[in-house]
Amino acid sequence: MPFDFEDFPVYKDAIKFIQEVDAFLESIPQKGNLRMIDQLQRASTSISLNIAEGAGRYHKSDKRNYYVMARGSVYECVACFQIFMAKKLINTEQHEMFYKDLNNLARQLSAMIKWSGYITS
């Protein structure tokens, strides 16, 4: 029996995003970038983990808190990619692809947060 979150489009997109991030990070020179590589890996993984954990909660307010944390991790990934741009470790085309994916995840999570009764700005 599958867990309900495994059918969430946002969860599927978050898993796909992790795979894309991992492939990208393999191309980054590790020397001088280990902290940023680790930070992006943790932030991108945190998105799907918080979606899953939130789905396992019984109360809407508990679910909402985890979806808010997942969206925070999306924003953290945006900042990581901006840093990679500043360090000239990612090209514009790659950055735009990741930015589009992150924007999609943020929109889906915002909808889940609103569904949970939380008003976002």
Side-chain angles (χ1 to χ4, degrees):
M1 179 174 122
F3 292 92
D4 62 347
F5 68 87
E6 293 176 291
D7 291 329
F8 294 178
V10 68
Y11 179 78
K12 291 177 183 179
D13 289 346
I15 294 296
K16 181 179 163 218
F17 180 71
I18 292 169
Q19 294 168 329
E20 292 169 353
V21 166
D22 285 347
F24 163 72
L25 290 175
E26 288 178 11
S27 70
I28 299 295
Q30 290 192 357
K31 185 176 182 182
N33 298 307
L34 285 176
R35 283 191 220 137
M36 282 304 304
I37 289 170
D38 179 61
Q39 192 67 31
L40 182 55
Q41 285 175 324
R42 287 185 294 114
S44 63
T45 303
S46 179
I47 299 166
S48 59
L49 294 177
N50 280 305
I51 293 167
E53 191 161 357
R57 300 299 171 147
Y58 288 107
H59 302 287
K60 281 187 176 184
S61 62
D62 290 336
K63 290 178 183 293
R64 178 188 67 231
N65 289 336
Y66 282 95
Y67 301 151
V68 168
M69 285 189 280
R71 191 178 65 175
S73 294
V74 167
Y75 281 55
E76 184 176 356
C77 288
V78 170
C80 287
F81 282 113
Q82 289 176 345
I83 292 167
F84 280 121
M85 277 291 287
K87 295 176 94 178
K88 299 184 183 345
L89 295 169
I90 187 172
N91 65 44
T92 303
E93 184 180 316
Q94 290 172 307
H95 184 268
E96 288 174 1
M97 179 196 73
F98 285 118
Y99 196 85
K100 180 181 173 185
D101 290 344
L102 289 163
N103 189 38
N104 179 48
L105 288 167
R107 281 188 282 111
Q108 290 180 79
L109 287 163
S110 290
M112 291 176 77
I113 293 163
K114 287 179 184 179
W115 170 81
S116 297
Y118 183 75
I119 305 300
T120 61
S121 54

